[in-house]
Amino acid sequence: MNQDLTQQWLTEIQMLKEQMAGLESDRDAAWESAQKWRQLYNTEAEQRRTDAQLAQQAIASLKADLHKLSCLEMETLAAETPVRAIQQEIEQLISVEELQAKLIVLIKERDRLLQALKTEQDNHAQTRNSLTTALGDAIDSLTRERAGAEKESR
């Protein structure tokens, strides 16, 4: 009986060792998976930081351009020479009809430029939406591809 009990204990110890080895293997696999996910997260985070930095640079550049344009516009309006040139052009118009005709031409030109600006803004918005959609699709595709690769590696 003592020998049976010893054999039973040895069998139990052997089973526990096998279970422990299996659990250690599972733990190692989970650790490797966590490491892979951590690396993917870090890569994605770095890409996001880079994208955010590029966007901030683009915003700063656009703000600088806007500031330059507004300064140029103010300088143009404030400078005496262009104002004088405009006044001289107006003074050359002899009659009210000529002034009205010039005004009509300028209003048409303004409307054409406003329409061109609106078209450009619409095209820009459409391009931005298309690029955002394409980026989202690429990220989804990459996520699916990575998930498939994870499944294959297991």
Side-chain angles (χ1 to χ4, degrees):
M1 177 156 159
N2 205 10
Q3 206 172 26
D4 288 338
L5 189 59
T6 304
Q7 187 60 37
Q8 188 180 11
W9 279 105
L10 288 175
T11 305
E12 183 73 24
I13 290 170
Q14 185 61 34
M15 283 179 26
L16 289 172
K17 282 183 180 180
E18 289 173 6
Q19 281 182 346
M20 197 165 162
L23 291 173
E24 286 174 351
S25 175
D26 290 348
R27 179 203 62 201
D28 292 343
W31 180 257
E32 287 178 27
S33 176
Q35 287 293 96
K36 287 179 185 177
W37 280 107
R38 215 173 278 119
Q39 180 63 34
L40 290 172
Y41 173 80
N42 287 335
T43 301
E44 182 79 18
E46 185 61 34
Q47 288 173 343
R48 298 280 184 210
R49 283 190 290 271
T50 301
D51 290 347
Q53 185 179 20
L54 290 173
Q56 288 295 329
Q57 289 172 351
I59 288 169
S61 174
L62 289 172
K63 282 182 179 179
D65 289 347
L66 181 62
H67 181 70
K68 284 180 190 176
L69 289 174
S70 65
C71 286
L72 284 174
E73 184 177 299
M74 293 177 88
E75 287 174 8
T76 301
L77 291 175
E80 289 185 37
T81 308
V83 172
R84 281 194 192 146
I86 293 169
Q87 287 174 342
Q88 287 174 353
E89 188 174 340
I90 291 172
E91 289 171 2
Q92 289 175 0
L93 301 173
I94 298 172
S95 68
V96 173
E97 290 80 19
E98 286 180 357
L99 184 60
Q100 287 175 339
K102 184 69 172 180
L103 184 59
I104 289 171
V105 168
L106 291 174
I107 290 172
K108 284 182 180 180
E109 179 66 12
R110 184 208 59 196
D111 290 344
R112 185 189 66 77
L113 290 172
L114 285 173
Q115 184 59 42
L117 176 62
K118 182 176 179 349
T119 301
E120 187 64 31
Q121 288 172 335
D122 292 344
N123 289 341
H124 175 75
Q126 184 178 5
T127 300
R128 184 180 61 235
N129 288 338
S130 297
L131 289 175
T132 302
T133 302
L135 180 61
D137 291 345
I139 290 172
D140 290 343
S141 176
L142 181 61
T143 303
R144 277 187 252 117
E145 183 177 307
R146 286 179 180 170
E150 284 289 324
K151 287 181 182 178
E152 290 178 8
S153 68
R154 291 182 185 179

